[in-house]
Amino acid sequence: MEEAKGFNPPPTFGTLDSQTGTVYINLMALRGKNPLNASDWLPIIGHLTLHLALNHASRRESRDPLLWNAACDLVTDRILQSLSSVRPESLLTPADL
């Protein structure tokens, strides 16, 4: 993991580079006015890691990028939900689309 420097706008919590497999974290979410604790970060890191593990970026092909990302977010959040009794606050549902 690396600090998310040079992103404009910066990611709210984190983002990833699918080419290198690097997860970038917005340190302001760690050190800011309302810093996140370890239990807050667990679903975020899990979400980003699942995107890498499921190879979402390279499987997009010619699909609409926004729609593909939303569909992949649904999948990753459902997997996280099935692995935990705690529902991530950021869980995306089909109604959100």
Side-chain angles (χ1 to χ4, degrees), residues 18-86:
S18 60
Q19 299 299 315
T20 64
T22 304
V23 175
Y24 294 95
I25 299 299
N26 182 348
L27 290 181
M28 289 307 295
L30 284 171
R31 302 180 191 145
K33 206 181 338 179
N34 299 309
L36 299 177
N37 61 38
S39 64
D40 296 327
W41 279 103
L42 187 59
I44 295 167
I45 300 300
H47 178 96
L48 294 170
T49 303
L50 278 171
H51 275 298
L52 287 172
L54 297 172
N55 204 20
H56 285 158
S58 66
R59 292 174 52 210
R60 178 174 62 87
E61 299 172 351
S62 62
R63 296 175 179 97
D64 178 276
L66 291 176
L67 187 57
W68 178 251
N69 189 55
C72 291
D73 282 344
L74 283 169
V75 169
T76 57
D77 287 342
R78 296 294 171 154
I79 292 171
L80 285 175
Q81 185 179 26
S82 73
L83 296 173
S84 172
S85 60
V86 178

